[in-house]
Amino acid sequence: MLKSLLVAGLALATPLSLALSSSAQAAEGDWPKKPITLLVPFTAGGTADIFARMIGDHLNRVTGQPIVAENVGGGGGTLALGRLARSDADGSVIAIASTSNLSIHPTLLKDRIQYQTLRDLAPITQISLVPNLLVVNPERIKARTVQELIDHLKANPEKVAFGSSGVGTTQHLAGELFMQRTGTKMTHVAYKGSSQMMPDLIAGQIDIAFDNAPLLWPHIKSGKLIALGTATAERLKVAPDLPAVAETVPGFQAVAWHGFLAPVKTPKPLIEAYAKEINAFMERPETQKRFEELGVLPMRTSPEAFAKLIGDEAGQWSKVIETAGVKPE
């Protein structure tokens, strides 16, 4: 199942074509002449931390410099990215970050942030994509299509509870986006992570959820949950019979992802050299296998494509947050 998801993820990746050209190759001999700090705005041991250390090991061999991975928690990642924005733009400081850090928190936590993502940070490349699925508890919700769910919600405003892994997560905002696009109303129940939400969803304490596909597949296969659609723009190859929500709700997309960045004034040849090396690492079978084991789709893009993704998603989530009046916990 996850192997098929891996193939689907590779199919979604943006072709690099000529984006990483000879300028990237020219920079390979001009790496920083001092240890490179890799900022990780997450706690140690999590998925993003594992990504950082895997790619850090590769960059250590390529650059010939020690790669010091530093976990900088707090502020929803704003402390780490604020530090990145203020760092020397000589390639000696880079960071890994996520959808929330780059495209959600600048609006949700705007009073706490001292930087602007695309003004102060230079995207390098996207490395992952985690599809979210829309699922229902079959004992609580009889709808078996997205349209049937919409009809049910319109007939029962605010009587259906949707769960999420926390306020401001892609799972939460996916539900808010769904309500805004369909003119429906549900009650949001926030948990401290998917591991706390899932038992209540299966037990019928809440009715529906958007959550990461790898977490949901076992419960879908067992029949404990019913998948109505994928929150990716198109159907997944692993489940060609599962419609994308966007087929019923045009333009709907709510996924999670990770990528690498540097300070905005970092020379373009260095940005492209980092992108070239990270993307090459992402193409390795052993890398893809490890990502598969973690339930994440490997991606590889140009810096320009990653910047567009960040900007597009920031625009979408800003509107969702402001319209729904979402406030940080």
Side-chain angles (χ1 to χ4, degrees):
M1 183 67 72
L2 288 177
K3 187 174 182 179
S4 299
L5 272 172
L6 177 68
V7 174
L10 291 174
L12 288 169
T14 303
L16 293 177
S17 63
L18 299 178
L20 306 181
S21 60
S22 58
S23 61
Q25 297 175 1
E28 291 177 7
D30 195 27
W31 294 107
K33 301 302 188 292
K34 57 184 177 180
I36 296 169
T37 299
L38 172 50
L39 300 175
V40 185
F42 310 96
T43 56
T47 301
D49 185 59
I50 293 171
F51 295 159
R53 294 174 191 280
M54 289 173 61
I55 293 173
D57 287 344
H58 171 70
L59 292 176
N60 168 239
R61 292 189 291 271
V62 170
T63 66
Q65 294 294 340
I67 307 293
V68 182
E70 185 176 344
N71 297 90
V72 182
T78 62
L79 298 182
L81 295 184
R83 179 174 156 188
L84 179 68
R86 298 188 299 271
S87 296
D88 292 338
D90 58 0
S92 66
V93 184
I94 59 175
I96 186 172
S98 70
T99 321
S100 295
N101 306 144
L102 299 171
S103 296
I104 295 175
H105 291 165
T107 296
L108 184 66
L109 305 177
K110 59 185 177 182
D111 294 335
R112 309 176 191 175
I113 294 179
Q114 303 300 316
Y115 64 90
Q116 293 181 19
T117 304
L118 294 179
R119 183 196 69 187
D120 300 321
L121 306 176
I124 296 173
T125 185
Q126 177 189 1
I127 63 164
S128 76
L129 184 147
V130 186
N132 286 322
L133 303 181
L134 169 59
V135 296
V136 301
N137 179 306
E139 300 300 320
R140 299 281 300 172
I141 301 293
K142 302 306 179 184
R144 296 296 178 265
T145 68
V146 174
Q147 187 58 57
E148 288 178 357
L149 176 62
I150 293 170
D151 293 342
H152 176 76
L153 294 176
K154 287 184 174 179
N156 298 275
E158 299 183 339
K159 294 182 180 179
V160 172
F162 84 92
S164 80
S165 57
V167 172
T169 61
T170 57
Q171 294 91 334
H172 170 207
L173 297 184
E176 298 288 354
L177 177 64
F178 187 81
M179 289 190 287
Q180 291 174 19
R181 293 285 180 87
T182 59
T184 56
K185 293 183 179 181
M186 296 184 285
T187 300
H188 175 226
V189 181
Y191 292 80
K192 294 185 180 299
S194 295
S195 61
Q196 293 188 18
M197 179 195 71
M198 202 62 64
D200 277 5
L201 179 59
I202 292 171
Q205 299 300 313
I206 54 175
D207 306 302
I208 78 171
F210 286 89
D211 211 334
N212 297 341
L215 299 175
L216 295 171
W217 287 125
H219 305 299
I220 294 169
K221 291 179 67 175
S222 70
K224 294 177 181 177
L225 300 175
I226 300 292
L228 302 188
T230 172
T232 49
E234 300 176 351
R235 298 188 184 201
L236 294 170
K237 289 186 177 181
V238 64
D241 295 330
L242 180 64
V245 175
E247 294 175 31
T248 304
V249 186
F252 186 91
Q253 180 169 299
V255 296
W257 40 261
H258 298 86
F260 280 78
L261 305 97
V264 72
K265 293 185 179 180
T266 303
K268 185 175 180 181
L270 262 178
I271 294 293
E272 293 185 339
Y274 270 121
K276 175 178 179 290
E277 292 300 338
I278 294 171
N279 285 323
F281 181 74
M282 296 305 300
E283 293 177 354
R284 293 182 176 182
E286 59 269 30
T287 304
Q288 296 175 5
K289 180 180 179 182
R290 183 59 175 140
F291 272 56
E292 175 185 353
E293 292 170 349
L294 294 169
V296 178
L297 310 180
M299 301 289 287
R300 49 190 185 275
T301 68
S302 67
E304 294 78 12
F306 188 31
K308 184 177 186 305
L309 173 69
I310 293 170
D312 289 348
E313 295 244 317
Q316 170 175 277
W317 295 132
S318 175
K319 293 177 182 176
V320 170
I321 290 167
E322 291 172 356
T323 300
V326 178
K327 302 296 181 183
E329 291 183 312

